[in-house]
């Protein structure tokens, strides 16, 4: 077997997955604060389709071998965010079902004014309620085994949800330092978020990638270091290390220096202090690859969140 070519094929798939983020992020967010935006090659997408009246939005799709990428946009102003979230997820799930046996591995969520109270509840909580309903309706795992995800706040615009889905069930990873998000107590909202801390996917036989969910300064279920962005950055790095340690039980061992990170900061002014903490922990290559954005985080006391993916070297599958 030509290992070089196989590696290139995998890199292409990862690049396409990142395109999915690039498109979602570039439509939802302003230009990066630091680092180069990943490709946002919307012209490389296969199709832009209008959703039927039951969903009322648009869908961008992309097919790459047995992998699928899709991005849905739904205006929540009339129907409300809970309903928009249910429709966005239901549109993605039904599209994936039409495409064949596909398993969502990771979602990206961009929500306007994510922390604003609206009609008696925070918009992030409404988003969570609609998401969980759609998982139940489509009979996808909303608890153990849920896909990886991130959820960020933007100033305005429609709800944007992107998905990466593949031919096999992803292997979910939890962080032993944190309560699973789908087990958060009801203090954080009547319906918990439906995501796992990370997910292993096999891009090619014997070629695994780890998709790490948005990770923040949460220990147990509580925010740590409210008001202290430096300490939040350090706690976030400890959580990323803990996720990588947990992931090494079901896949290859990875280090922070293997991660391709996207860093979200609530305050643009925090860029320098957080870079001072994060870049030495990542090392020069991963620091160079990281992209930094201004965005709101889904708890109003969180100031920084890091999401990442890593392509494991070939032939490093775990001994099960
Ligand atoms: C947290 O750990 C921080 O709702 O999809 C991180 C990743 C967060 C994904 C989501 C939320 C989500 O709870 C917030």
């Amino acid at each position: 077997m030509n290992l070089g070519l196989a590696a290139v094929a995998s890199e292409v798939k990862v690049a396409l997955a990142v395109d999915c983020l690039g498109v979602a992020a570039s439509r939802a967010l302003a230009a990066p604060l630091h680092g180069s935006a990943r490709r946002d090659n919307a012209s490389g997408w296969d199709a832009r389709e209008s959703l039927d009246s039951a969903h009322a939005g648009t869908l961008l799709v992309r097919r790459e071998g047995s992998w699928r990428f899709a991005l849905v946009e739904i205006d929540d102003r009339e129907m409300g965010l809970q309903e928009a979230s249910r429709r966005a997820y239901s549109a993605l799930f039904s599209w994936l079902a039409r495409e064949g046996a596909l398993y969502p591995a990771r979602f990206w969520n961009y929500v306007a004014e994510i922390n604003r109270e609206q009609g008696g509840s925070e918009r992030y909580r409404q988003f969570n309620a609609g998401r969980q309903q759609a998982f139940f309706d489509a009979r996808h795992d909303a608890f153990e085994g849920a896909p990886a995800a991130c959820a960020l706040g933007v100033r305005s615009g429609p709800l944007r949800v992107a998905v990466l889905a593949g031919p096999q069930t992803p292997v979910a990873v939890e962080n032993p330092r944190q309560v699973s998000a789908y087990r958060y107590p009801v203090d954080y909202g009547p319906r918990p978020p439906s995501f796992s801390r990370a997910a292993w996917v096999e891009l090619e036989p014997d070629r695994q990638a780890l998709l790490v969910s948005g990770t923040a300064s949460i220990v147990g279920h509580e925010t740590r270091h409210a008001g202290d962005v430096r300490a939040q950055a350090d706690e976030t790095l400890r959580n990323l290390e803990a996720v990588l340690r947990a992931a090494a039980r079901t896949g290859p061992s990875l280090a922070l220096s293997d991660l391709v990170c996207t860093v979200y900061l609530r305050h643009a002014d925090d860029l320098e202090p957080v870079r001072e903490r994060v870049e030495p922990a990542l090392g020069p290559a991963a620091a160079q690859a990281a992209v930094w954005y201004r965005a709101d985080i889904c708890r109003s006391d969180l100031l920084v969140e890091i999401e990442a993916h890593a392509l494991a070297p070939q032939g490093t599958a775990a001994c099960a």
Side-chain angles (χ1 to χ4, degrees), residues 109 124 128 131 149-151 184 193 195 197 214 216 218 298 302 305:
N109 304 290
Y124 177 55
N128 278 324
R131 169 168 59 178
C150 59
Y184 281 165
F195 73 96
R197 298 298 178 185
I218 294 173
C298 55
L302 289 172
E305 179 173 307

Side-chain angles (χ1 to χ4, degrees), residues 133-221:
Q133 188 60 53
F135 269 76
F136 289 168
D137 291 346
R139 293 184 167 69
H140 280 282
D141 294 327
F143 297 91
E144 279 76 12
C150 59
L152 286 312
V154 299
R155 287 209 174 84
S156 61
L159 171 66
R160 292 188 169 90
V161 182
V163 66
L164 166 65
Q168 287 166 14
T169 318
V171 176
V173 175
E174 287 302 294
N175 178 349
R177 301 183 82 231
Q178 297 184 310
V179 171
S180 294
Y182 46 76
R183 301 287 176 208
Y184 281 165
V186 289
D187 322 23
Y188 301 99
R191 301 298 180 150
S194 313
F195 73 96
S196 294
R197 298 298 178 185
W200 282 113
V201 294
E202 198 172 48
L203 290 175
E204 303 270 347
D206 199 27
R207 188 71 171 167
Q208 287 173 280
L210 184 68
L211 310 171
V212 182
S213 290
T215 302
S217 178
I218 294 173
V219 179
H221 55 74

Side-chain angles (χ1 to χ4, degrees), residues 6-305:
V8 168
S10 292
E11 298 289 353
V12 168
K13 282 184 186 156
V14 170
L16 289 170
V18 169
D19 264 3
C20 181
L21 166 66
V23 170
S26 69
R27 288 169 170 250
L29 302 168
L33 294 168
H34 180 72
S36 331
R38 303 212 170 87
R39 293 193 306 153
D40 53 359
N41 180 14
S43 62
W45 290 63
D46 296 334
R48 186 187 178 97
E49 298 169 13
S50 287
L51 295 180
D52 57 32
S53 55
H55 296 102
T58 55
L59 186 68
L60 273 170
V61 305
R62 184 152 185 172
R63 299 177 180 87
E64 177 63 31
S66 47
W67 288 81
R68 296 292 181 277
F69 312 95
L71 165 69
V72 67
E73 299 184 343
I74 297 186
D75 184 343
D76 63 88
R77 284 173 301 182
E78 295 279 310
M79 66 184 82
L81 185 58
Q82 179 173 334
E83 177 63 8
S85 164
R86 190 192 66 75
R87 289 189 197 195
Y89 273 82
S90 123
L92 292 173
F93 287 142
S94 41
W95 183 73
L96 292 176
R98 289 196 298 278
E99 288 289 302
L102 287 160
Y103 301 89
R106 144 150 233 159
F107 286 95
W108 292 266
N109 304 290
Y110 296 94
V111 181
E113 301 186 292
I114 195 167
N115 302 126
R116 183 160 67 86
E117 296 276 324
Q118 189 176 41
S121 71
E122 188 192 27
R123 280 168 57 79
Y124 177 55
R125 297 177 176 210
Q126 300 174 28
F127 164 79
N128 278 324
R131 169 168 59 178
Q132 191 193 56
Q133 188 60 53
F135 269 76
F136 289 168
D137 291 346
R139 293 184 167 69
H140 280 282
D141 294 327
F143 297 91
E144 279 76 12
C150 59
L152 286 312
V154 299
R155 287 209 174 84
S156 61
L159 171 66
R160 292 188 169 90
V161 182
V163 66
L164 166 65
Q168 287 166 14
T169 318
V171 176
V173 175
E174 287 302 294
N175 178 349
R177 301 183 82 231
Q178 297 184 310
V179 171
S180 294
Y182 46 76
R183 301 287 176 208
Y184 281 165
V186 289
D187 322 23
Y188 301 99
R191 301 298 180 150
S194 313
F195 73 96
S196 294
R197 298 298 178 185
W200 282 113
V201 294
E202 198 172 48
L203 290 175
E204 303 270 347
D206 199 27
R207 188 71 171 167
Q208 287 173 280
L210 184 68
L211 310 171
V212 182
S213 290
T215 302
S217 178
I218 294 173
V219 179
H221 55 74
E222 289 172 341
T223 300
R224 290 287 163 93
H225 322 295
D228 182 347
V229 76
R230 291 174 179 83
Q232 286 201 12
D234 292 341
E235 200 70 68
T236 300
L237 291 165
R238 284 193 285 277
N239 277 328
L240 285 172
E241 283 177 325
V243 171
L244 295 181
R245 267 196 307 277
R249 297 170 61 181
T250 48
S253 286
L254 296 168
L256 291 181
S257 57
D258 295 314
L259 296 179
V260 181
C261 293
T262 303
V263 188
Y264 298 98
L265 297 174
R266 182 179 292 277
H267 304 298
D269 288 349
D270 290 337
L271 178 62
E272 290 314 316
V274 178
R275 280 183 68 192
E276 279 170 20
R277 291 293 205 282
V278 169
E279 290 188 341
L282 296 181
Q288 175 74 34
V291 185
W292 299 67
Y293 286 102
R294 213 241 32 105
D296 294 335
I297 322 292
C298 55
R299 285 185 191 179
S300 48
D301 51 9
L302 289 172
L303 302 172
V304 55
E305 179 173 307

